């Protein structure tokens, strides 16, 4: 018989459960930065595993030495990546120092008049529009100091984040065997085999995915480089490398890369005639980049991604699109790895479910 005491106890238990869940979620929210550091460190540990195993098995390195060597290589790669862009920044700064604003303004006005004449567009005086809109009176120059302060804060946070990530990664790489042994003791006996099988398969698929992503970026980099070399860009290698890295962000990254390539191409040609040289060459570069993206989006990306994680190209597209709409750029980047992990876990724990069997038939 259900009494008021039983009902009140049930309500109290439900409220206590909700309160505990709320406290846990709030705690996770407050330490979200630490969680991000842990996730990045786990990702680096996954990427570093093949190299660590090579150092330990082939060169007979100890755990500490193999982990330290791997992290030093990561740091050297990061430093090399930064110094790779120093020549680009210096050359673009030199080009901007040679900028003749009066000549550029005159060329821009001539181009504007040519476009208006060709398309029969009424002339619009931008100076009058700006004056009538009183844009300058609405500008608050205190934003400049706030912007500088935000940049300094970002640099400080980035430095602390890098130190934290590398520190955590070192111990993840060094003590991963002991972590696995501890996990074995913690895991419930009934599901221990399923969990360990899931971890092994996830490690396998994610390793293949990152190797596939590296192959895709290499293909895009080579195609970008060919386009820039054909049109005589002085910093073709660096610009192609930067735009290829931006391709990590699905759909949005290539667009940003194309705009960036166009801007850097224009800056590198400052001093040349705008109508006959700068504008045509920039348009050709943009068209070339769009062709590369068409090849990547329709050929290399679907084939490489689907083969690496054993998923249908349409499935990958839909998951990436949904993740982008829901979680933004970060969601688009992590969509395929997370979806692959979920599929592996579902197949391991619910192999007889019809929906799961359809979704995971390729795994």
């Amino acid at each position: 018989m259900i009494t008021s005491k039983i009902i009140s106890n049930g309500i109290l238990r439900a409220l206590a459960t909700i309160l505990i869940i709320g406290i846990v979620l709030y705690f996770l929210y407050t330490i979200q930065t630490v969680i991000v550091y842990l996730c990045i460190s786990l990702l680096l540990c996954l990427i570093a595993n093949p190299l660590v195993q090579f150092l330990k098995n082939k060169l007979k390195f100890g755990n500490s030495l193999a982990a330290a060597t791997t992290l030093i290589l990561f740091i050297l790669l990061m430093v090399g990546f930064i110094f790779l862009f120093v020549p680009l920044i210096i050359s673009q700064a030199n080009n901007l120092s040679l900028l003749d604003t009066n000549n550029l303004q005159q060329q821009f006005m001539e181009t504007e008049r040519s476009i208006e004449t060709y398309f029969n567009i009424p002339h619009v005086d931008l100076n009058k529009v700006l004056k009538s809109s009183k844009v300058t009176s609405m500008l608050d120059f205190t934003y400049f100091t706030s912007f500088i302060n935000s940049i300094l804060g970002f640099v400080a946070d980035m430095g602390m984040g890098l130190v934290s990530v590398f520190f955590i990664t070192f111990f993840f790489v060094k003590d991963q065997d002991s972590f696995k042994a501890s996990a074995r003791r913690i895991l419930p006996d009934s599901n221990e085999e399923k969990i360990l099988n899931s971890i092994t398969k996830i490690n396998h698929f994610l390793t293949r995915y990152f190797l596939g992503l590296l192959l895709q970026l290499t293909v895009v980099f080579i195609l970008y480089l060919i386009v820039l070399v054909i049109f005589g860009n002085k910093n073709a290698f660096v610009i192609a490398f930067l735009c290829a890295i931006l391709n990590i962000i699905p759909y949005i990254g290539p667009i940003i890369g194309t705009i960036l390539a166009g801007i850097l191409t224009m800056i590198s040609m400052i001093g040349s005639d705008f109508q006959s040289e700068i504008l045509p060459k920039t348009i050709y570069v943009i068209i070339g980049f769009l062709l590369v993206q068409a090849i990547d989006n329709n050929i290399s990306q679907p084939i490489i991604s689907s083969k690496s994680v054993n998923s249908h190209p349409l499935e990958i597209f839909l998951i990436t699109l949904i993740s982008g709409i829901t979680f933004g750029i970060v969601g688009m980047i992590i969509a395929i790895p997370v979806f692959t992990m979920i599929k592996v876990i579902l197949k391991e724990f619910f192999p007889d479910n019809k929906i799961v069997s359809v979704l995971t038939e390729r795994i």
Side-chain angles (χ1 to χ4, degrees), residues 139-147:
L139 293 176
D140 185 0
F141 291 98
T142 58
Y143 283 115
F144 180 75
T145 55
S146 300
F147 177 69

Side-chain angles (χ1 to χ4, degrees), residues 180-208:
K180 291 177 182 178
S182 300
R184 283 179 179 272
R185 292 197 297 269
I186 296 173
L187 295 176
D189 294 335
S190 57
N191 294 321
E192 178 180 344
E193 185 179 353
K194 293 181 180 179
I195 294 173
L196 293 176
N197 288 338
S198 299
I199 294 173
T200 302
K201 290 180 181 179
I202 288 171
N203 187 22
H204 170 70
F205 279 112
L206 290 187
T207 301
R208 288 180 55 182

Side-chain angles (χ1 to χ4, degrees), residues 18-60:
I18 294 172
L19 180 61
I20 292 171
I21 293 174
I23 292 172
V24 171
L25 291 176
Y26 177 75
F27 176 72
L28 293 176
Y29 175 78
T30 55
I31 63 167
Q32 57 181 316
T33 304
V34 178
I35 296 174
V36 171
Y37 291 165
L38 290 172
C39 292
I40 296 174
S41 298
L42 287 172
L43 178 60
L44 289 177
C45 181
L46 181 66
I47 297 172
N49 261 336
L51 179 58
V52 172
Q53 295 304 320
F54 173 80
L55 294 175
K56 290 167 65 175
N57 297 332
K58 299 296 183 181
L59 302 181
K60 306 302 179 182

Side-chain angles (χ1 to χ4, degrees), residues 341-360:
M341 293 169 63
I342 293 173
K343 285 174 64 175
V344 169
I345 294 171
L346 288 176
K347 182 168 186 177
E348 195 63 39
F349 283 87
F350 308 102
D352 298 327
N353 186 281
K354 292 183 179 181
I355 297 176
V356 171
S357 62
V358 171
L359 287 174
T360 60

